[in-house]
Amino acid sequence: MKSRSILKKINILLLIVVISLSNYSYAQNSQSVKNIVLVHGAFVDGSGWKNVYDILVKKGYNVTVTQQALTSYESDVESVNRIIDQLDGQCILVGHSYGGAIITTAGNNPKVAGLVYVAAHAPDEGESEGNNGKLYPPAYKSMIKGEDGFDYIDPKKFPEDFAGGVTKDMASFMAISQTPTADVAFKAIIKNPAWKTKPSWYVVAKSDRIINPYLERMYAKRAKSVTIEVAGASHCVYITHPKEVSDLIISAAQGKK
């Protein structure tokens, strides 16, 4: 009788331990990443993230917006890593357009928990976004290559090609305030792409004229990204559809696959 009582107590203790471990594991998995880093792409700066920023901050996230100089791929990656290193804890790294190539490398930072690509490039080992763009040619023909090695979008065609859906006044302002981008940045060869080891999410802009939507789908499929497609969205999907973009970023922060 005594041995049965002892065995019963042991079984109860084991059950308590199992339940406790399960609850602990669930709590760990359900914890959200609170830091979000938003990385802009070529020809623009971080101000375009304002609508997404506002939504995420109201949801309680700590949001940082990068302002890399677009003078070289290496320096842009360094700029983003500098921001990541300053954070207290892990982050979700979000990249738009050329910013996707940046987070593909910067995402190897140990503090990065996941990657979100927003109408962005996600090159593989040995690839560059410039060469990948030739596989699925984009619709726009408005890039101007400066004699000084910096590229920009023809301001007259910027609203239609880059900023479809953005208000006329804002698109016109973006056109004349754009940041010329070093042509060599688009030719940078990617090494050790972070999406191969980190979970990823992807926003496909179905009416993108800067990056062919079929290329975006290829990137998302190859990276096994959780993917949404936004109908009617241009390359500026992060400006025109901030809720859809923010919702996917929140899903990434919560680890939802």
Side-chain angles (χ1 to χ4, degrees), residues 177-225:
S177 64
Q178 63 178 296
T179 305
T181 303
D183 187 72
V184 293
F186 303 129
K187 300 173 182 177
I189 302 300
I190 299 298
K191 298 179 181 179
N192 191 26
W195 54 259
K196 286 193 171 181
T197 57
K198 304 283 178 79
S200 62
W201 289 255
Y202 201 107
V203 178
V204 173
K206 294 183 72 174
S207 295
D208 198 330
R209 293 179 57 82
I210 299 295
I211 301 178
N212 191 316
Y214 285 100
L215 179 57
E216 295 177 8
R217 294 185 184 103
M218 185 277 281
Y219 283 141
K221 181 178 180 180
R222 184 170 66 180
K224 298 180 174 60
S225 305

Side-chain angles (χ1 to χ4, degrees), residues 50-243:
K50 183 64 166 60
N51 294 337
V52 170
Y53 169 88
D54 287 342
I55 292 172
L56 294 174
V57 168
K58 288 179 181 178
K59 294 288 186 179
Y61 290 95
N62 174 39
V63 185
T64 306
V65 180
T66 67
Q67 291 286 17
Q68 65 274 14
L70 306 177
T71 53
S72 77
Y73 179 75
E74 293 75 17
S75 64
D76 290 342
V77 171
E78 288 177 1
S79 294
V80 172
N81 266 318
R82 188 177 302 116
I83 295 297
I84 298 170
D85 290 338
Q86 294 173 1
L87 297 175
D88 180 15
Q90 290 192 307
C91 71
I92 295 298
L93 194 55
V94 184
H96 169 250
S97 192
Y98 160 66
I102 295 173
I103 72 170
T104 295
T105 295
N108 288 302
N109 191 307
K111 286 188 175 182
V112 176
L115 308 165
V116 180
Y117 292 89
V118 181
H121 286 283
D124 200 350
E125 180 86 23
E127 295 178 351
S128 70
E129 71 166 74
N131 283 335
N132 286 352
K134 297 174 184 177
L135 300 175
Y136 298 88
Y140 82 104
K141 306 294 181 184
S142 52
M143 182 183 288
I144 298 175
K145 293 181 178 293
E147 294 181 0
D148 60 353
F150 282 80
D151 303 338
Y152 63 101
I153 302 294
D154 183 345
K156 294 180 180 178
K157 298 179 180 179
F158 189 100
E160 177 186 0
D161 281 345
F162 196 99
V166 177
T167 63
K168 182 179 179 180
D169 287 347
M170 183 174 181
S172 296
F173 179 77
M174 291 172 66
I176 62 170
S177 64
Q178 63 178 296
T179 305
T181 303
D183 187 72
V184 293
F186 303 129
K187 300 173 182 177
I189 302 300
I190 299 298
K191 298 179 181 179
N192 191 26
W195 54 259
K196 286 193 171 181
T197 57
K198 304 283 178 79
S200 62
W201 289 255
Y202 201 107
V203 178
V204 173
K206 294 183 72 174
S207 295
D208 198 330
R209 293 179 57 82
I210 299 295
I211 301 178
N212 191 316
Y214 285 100
L215 179 57
E216 295 177 8
R217 294 185 184 103
M218 185 277 281
Y219 283 141
K221 181 178 180 180
R222 184 170 66 180
K224 298 180 174 60
S225 305
V226 175
T227 305
I228 65 169
E229 297 202 5
V230 183
S234 73
H235 197 55
C236 281
V237 59
Y238 67 118
I239 296 176
T240 60
H241 295 76
K243 183 181 186 304

